Amino acid sequence: GMQERRPVSLGVCLEREYLMLCTGSPWSASGTRGTRVDALARIARAALTAYQTAHLLFEDGTLLTLTPDFLGKGRPWGDYVQEASEWRFQRTLEDLLRGRP
């Protein structure tokens, strides 16, 4: 006969996260293979405003993981509407390189 299907618990939390493969390095936006900070900022903002985690893997081997806590009032990138600019995103990346919180 027909068996009833039951949901299976795998003990895993399934959440959508994004992995982006990026050229260059997150620390320099200049040069022919430089990173397009404007594009990174737009992609990161879209993922974070949807409360998703964004992993940016650069060709220099740097893995930058941004969680939704990165964006918002009083947080590193600032408020989405008023502060989360491309300029502030790049400045925050540079601060991370220098070991500043």
Side-chain angles (χ1 to χ4, degrees), residues 3-88:
Q3 291 184 351
E4 182 180 337
R5 297 183 98 181
R6 296 180 193 195
V8 176
S9 174
L10 301 174
V12 176
C13 178
L14 300 174
E15 293 180 10
R16 180 172 292 169
E17 295 187 359
Y18 294 91
L19 173 63
M20 293 162 273
L21 304 176
C22 309
T23 60
S25 166
W27 319 118
S28 65
S30 61
T32 57
R33 299 281 298 163
T35 302
R36 288 201 45 208
V37 177
D38 62 321
L40 292 182
R42 280 196 305 274
I43 293 167
R45 187 181 302 115
L48 298 178
T49 56
Y51 301 99
Q52 305 297 322
T53 297
H55 304 279
L56 291 76
L57 179 59
F58 294 85
E59 69 182 342
D60 71 351
T62 301
L63 175 63
L64 179 64
T65 297
L66 303 175
T67 64
D69 292 338
F70 185 69
L71 180 65
K73 189 170 181 76
R75 298 189 175 151
W77 198 6
D79 178 72
Y80 170 70
V81 176
Q82 297 177 5
E83 302 170 316
S85 67
E86 174 188 328
W87 176 83
R88 184 164 178 164

